[in-house]
Amino acid sequence: MKTGHDVAIIEVGPRDGLQNVAAFVETAQKVSLIRRLAASGLKEIQAGAFVSPRAIPQFRDMKEVVAGIIALPKVRFSALVPNLQGAREAVKSGIEKLIFFFSLSESHNLNNVRQTKEASLKGLEVIQKNLAAEAPVELCVALATVFGCPFEGYMTTDQILKDIEKIANMGIKEITLCDTVGFGNPRQVEEVTVACLKDFPEITFAVHFHNTRGLGLANALRAYDVGIRRFDAAVGGLGGCPFAPGASGNIATEDLVFMFNEMGIPTGIDMDSLLNVSSYLKEILPGVILSSAVYQAGLPKTQTSGPECGTPNGNPPFPAHQEW
Ligand code: COA
Ligand code: ZN
């Protein structure tokens, strides 16, 4: 089933998930994880981050990881980059979509990338100017702590819109609004996303929710209801920023896919394959608890789990007739 209301789920487990895992995951295992994610139908995957290996040792093998996946067809691979050095390395490895990240809150930015917001914005400009001349890559922005900061608390919608305006003025066409530490609630998500969609119709907005306080899926659904169609999620519900105290997992890809599938909103992702990826994750990270509710509970016995929604008795999922 194809409708104009399909959603894009962006898998961030290999990046947001692994950056918070203490043990180094071997290159071959990272490659295998990403290949399995792609095989489950995910069309866009964050392969990792081209950051200082001193800041995040997990990504010291990015070049080798990308070499092992980049030839996979039908998948768009992106990577996080904090500066021109990372952007150049990413492009050299074959990554086509760069995600420059910085935080709405000054203190989280200083903690995370060790520079002011102003310096980050300059850095973004430098990447854009240099890379536009060097390679045909897409440059997007992930804006952290939009829905709250562990050091500064909540941001006002005005503050959020002002920063987005600065990014939009640089010609960036896609921005991910990140709830880095799970402060967001559905009402706030509605207010912020509605304002963003209204004020910046030329920008594609994605959302990135952490389920730190259990509101991840509620936030995602509210964002969907007001018109957002791009959602970050991490297999197993792994995730968290090592430079934000109290950060915990992203919304689990399994749970988000399950919610949309059950609502009759196609995701193109095969649940059985995805749950096999969760099992593989458990195998390579034996000490790590996977918070995905669907992984823990399994699928309802009466449901099929393929990319097309439906039940074994031929009945559509509830309520398939409704236009979302
Ligand atoms: N990739 C690899 N190495 C990098 C790099 C990059 N993108 N950027 C900087 N470095 C290296 C420099 O070459 C330098 O190495 P050297 O000491 O051997 O000469 C070293 O890191 C310090 O460089 P500097 O520019 O002074 O950076 P910094 O120490 O102020 O750190 C960041 C700034 C942004 C590079 C670093 O804090 C970082 O990578 N943070 C990642 C944060 C993150 O990923 N958070 C989770 C995502 S939300
Ligand atoms: Zn995150």
Side-chain angles (χ1 to χ4, degrees):
M1 177 170 57
K2 263 266 167 220
T3 73
H5 302 282
D6 292 4
V7 293
I9 296 184
I10 301 132
E11 174 59 44
V12 299
R15 195 277 302 168
D16 205 331
L18 296 190
Q19 80 186 9
N20 212 28
V21 169
F24 182 73
V25 178
E26 294 303 327
T27 308
Q29 293 177 327
K30 286 184 185 126
V31 168
S32 183
L33 172 65
I34 294 172
R35 285 178 164 266
R36 287 162 197 253
L37 287 164
S40 76
L42 283 150
K43 302 273 181 310
E44 194 168 326
I45 301 175
Q46 269 181 27
F50 284 82
V51 293
S52 158
R54 235 176 287 154
I56 313 247
Q58 186 67 263
F59 297 134
R60 62 177 187 252
D61 60 347
M62 274 310 294
K63 233 171 70 184
E64 293 77 16
V65 170
V66 176
I69 56 169
I70 201 68
L72 285 178
K74 298 188 196 149
V75 192
R76 194 154 175 78
F77 290 110
S78 62
L80 249 58
V81 298
N83 52 23
L84 185 60
Q85 185 178 344
R88 284 206 161 118
E89 289 296 324
V91 170
K92 223 192 300 168
S93 76
I95 292 285
E96 291 174 350
K97 179 168 178 172
L98 306 181
I99 303 173
F100 180 83
F101 62 102
F102 73 102
S103 313
L104 193 71
S105 103
E106 193 74 62
S107 22
H108 184 260
N109 209 52
L110 285 167
N111 227 38
N112 196 28
V113 287
R114 298 157 57 92
Q115 62 183 7
T116 62
K117 273 166 61 179
E118 203 187 332
S120 280
L121 280 162
K122 283 219 174 78
L124 173 61
E125 207 176 354
V126 167
I127 295 179
Q128 200 179 33
K129 281 198 176 129
N130 280 274
L131 285 191
E134 290 170 19
V137 288
E138 190 183 345
L139 180 60
C140 306
V141 166
L143 192 54
T145 65
V146 167
F147 300 94
C149 163
F151 311 111
E152 294 181 25
Y154 293 100
M155 308 290 145
T156 67
T157 301
D158 268 359
Q159 287 170 320
I160 298 167
L161 293 174
K162 271 192 194 120
D163 272 16
I164 289 177
E165 189 174 14
K166 289 180 192 156
I167 302 167
N169 286 343
M170 290 186 188
I172 298 294
K173 292 283 178 275
E174 186 180 313
I175 299 175
T176 304
L177 306 170
C178 304
D179 187 10
T180 311
V181 281
F183 274 39
N185 68 70
R187 200 166 293 281
Q188 177 201 22
V189 166
E190 173 177 346
E191 181 176 315
V192 171
T193 49
V194 164
C196 287
L197 291 169
K198 176 174 157 285
D199 285 10
F200 304 98
E202 75 282 14
I203 304 250
T204 299
F205 286 99
V207 285
H208 174 108
F209 294 123
H210 281 256
N211 198 35
T212 320
R213 293 170 182 82
L215 296 186
L217 281 190
N219 289 338
L221 186 57
R222 200 69 202 108
Y224 177 84
D225 283 341
V226 301
I228 298 288
R229 291 294 177 269
R230 294 176 60 76
F231 298 84
D232 285 3
V235 63
L238 290 184
C241 175
F243 303 99
S248 64
N250 287 81
I251 49 177
T253 314
E254 303 90 315
D255 300 354
L256 188 66
V257 170
F258 181 74
M259 180 182 82
F260 283 134
N261 277 355
E262 294 296 296
M263 292 172 70
I265 300 165
T267 61
I269 295 163
D270 183 86
M271 268 308 274
D272 281 336
S273 309
L274 187 59
L275 289 169
N276 285 335
V277 186
S278 330
S279 302
Y280 177 68
L281 200 57
K282 194 71 203 149
E283 205 181 301
I284 62 175
L285 297 172
V288 173
I289 293 167
L290 303 186
S291 64
S292 161
V294 173
Y295 173 69
Q296 285 176 16
L299 291 170
K301 293 281 177 284
T302 52
Q303 295 297 98
T304 57
S305 52
E308 300 301 326
C309 317
T311 60
N313 60 11
N315 290 340
F318 179 84
H321 60 278
Q322 190 164 338
E323 260 303 306
W324 292 95

